[in-house]
Amino acid sequence: METPYPKLIDPSKTRIGWIGIGIMGSAMVSHIIAAGYSVTVYARDLRKTKDLQTKGARIANSPKELAEMSDVVFTIVGNFNDVRSLLLGDDGVLSGLTPGGVTVDMTSSKPGLAREIHAEARRRNCWAVDAPVSGGDAGAREGTLGIFAGGDSEIVEWLSPVMKNIGTVTYMGEAGSGQSCKIGNQIAGASNLVGLAEGIVFAEKAGLDTVKWLEAVKDGAAGSAVMRLFGEMMVKRDYRATGFAEYMVKDLGMAAEAAMPGAALSKQLFTGMVANGDGKLGIQGVVSVIRRLNGIS
């Protein structure tokens, strides 16, 4: 396919910039470094960059400086306000990216913002792709994330040599389509988490061995990837973060704007986690809210 680029992506020549080295980002960028790419990282807390520096990453002092040192800049940060500031701000990525450069935002964010970023990138003769991911920290560590891409199809295809190091890309359509796909993913995933949590708590109240309950139902209609990933953690009250509960509230908030009643109910339960001070715990911790509602400590 014809692309705007005279050269294909090459680990020895294509310079990668990365912003966002939290639970998932650090593992994702490690895969890209291991594939031989030159990577520059920007982080507000330089202490978080030490491990990546030992692997060969360079450090930039601002998003603009990072962009000036990069051909492709990836971002995966907390929320859409961060995305707007980092990409569109006066010292943001698009202020420093050379014409022909590409931004890839992997944050779960608003489709409308993705379209705004794409339009501004094109105005500057650059390109923007929205590519949120699914798979949690395990998918990030293993390089098996699902990546939902929106933007220009030829740019997404051009990016495939670097993206394949962190997961499998599905092209969803024009700018904003990747974000819409992720919101749909979160609607289904959150409902699944809530259903699993209620099933476990019901089994507890009925006096069943919940480990046996999981084993009994996992191969039937109730079985799911969510059960496989989070069932045992819920039973054991293991709420280590694989994805923050407060981010699920953000994502379901975007879904609720589209009049999705199930998503709105799920959002209330995850909001309960945040209200209980558990916003930084993992999304499987929603079972703690169901337990509280049922008088189980």
Side-chain angles (χ1 to χ4, degrees):
M1 181 179 289
E2 194 173 327
T3 78
Y5 293 91
K7 297 180 181 178
L8 296 178
I9 281 185
D10 183 337
S12 67
K13 297 177 181 177
T14 306
R15 304 168 301 164
I16 304 297
W18 194 280
I19 301 176
I21 50 175
I23 293 174
M24 297 172 64
S26 183
M28 294 162 73
V29 73
S30 292
H31 288 305
I32 292 174
I33 292 172
Y37 290 90
S38 170
V39 176
T40 303
V41 173
Y42 167 74
R44 285 174 287 194
D45 185 352
L46 288 177
R47 292 172 297 181
K48 294 183 178 180
T49 68
K50 288 183 179 179
D51 178 63
L52 293 174
Q53 287 188 69
T54 65
K55 296 175 181 178
R58 297 183 297 173
I59 304 300
N61 295 313
S62 70
K64 181 178 181 180
E65 181 181 277
L66 176 88
E68 291 169 345
M69 301 166 66
S70 306
D71 301 304
V72 182
V73 176
F74 289 85
T75 50
I76 180 165
V77 293
N79 57 61
F80 31 80
N81 290 328
D82 294 330
V83 172
R84 178 178 293 280
S85 174
L86 288 166
L87 289 171
L88 299 176
D90 291 340
D91 196 35
V93 169
L94 286 178
S95 71
L97 200 62
T98 302
V102 180
T103 69
V104 184
D105 183 35
M106 309 190 93
T107 312
S108 296
S109 185
K110 293 183 176 182
L113 178 56
R115 290 190 288 269
E116 184 180 346
I117 292 167
H118 180 270
E120 180 61 20
R122 293 304 300 125
R123 191 182 73 81
R124 295 172 180 263
N125 199 26
C126 296
W127 303 86
V129 169
D130 52 294
V133 299
S134 180
D137 66 331
R141 289 195 307 271
E142 296 164 10
T144 57
L145 292 168
I147 305 170
F148 316 129
D152 300 271
S153 60
E154 65 270 24
I155 303 302
V156 173
E157 183 174 331
W158 181 80
L159 287 164
S160 61
V162 62
M163 301 270 267
K164 71 179 182 181
N165 294 290
I166 53 181
T168 300
V169 179
T170 302
Y171 177 67
M172 299 306 301
E174 62 185 16
S177 298
Q179 295 296 351
S180 293
C181 182
K182 178 60 185 287
I183 292 171
N185 177 85
Q186 297 301 80
I187 292 171
S191 298
N192 206 334
L193 281 162
V194 171
L196 175 60
E198 291 192 344
I200 288 171
V201 172
F202 180 86
E204 288 177 1
K205 293 186 71 175
L208 301 180
D209 181 321
T210 48
V211 173
K212 285 186 178 180
W213 178 81
L214 286 172
E215 184 63 26
V217 304
K218 70 179 178 64
D219 293 324
S224 66
V226 165
M227 181 177 287
R228 185 174 67 253
L229 290 168
F230 299 113
E232 187 174 348
M233 297 178 82
M234 285 185 174
V235 165
K236 293 182 176 179
R237 294 171 167 77
D238 179 355
Y239 305 145
R240 287 173 296 171
T242 59
F244 293 138
E246 64 184 16
Y247 291 170
M248 184 64 84
V249 173
K250 171 202 67 175
D251 295 348
L252 292 175
M254 292 186 285
E257 290 175 4
M260 296 293 146
L265 289 171
S266 295
K267 178 177 178 285
Q268 289 183 25
L269 293 169
F270 283 97
T271 299
M273 277 190 70
V274 175
N276 289 329
D278 296 336
K280 295 293 187 184
L281 296 183
I283 54 178
Q284 72 276 16
V286 70
V287 71
S288 68
V289 178
I290 307 299
R291 286 190 173 112
R292 283 191 176 99
L293 290 171
N294 283 272
I296 300 174
S297 60

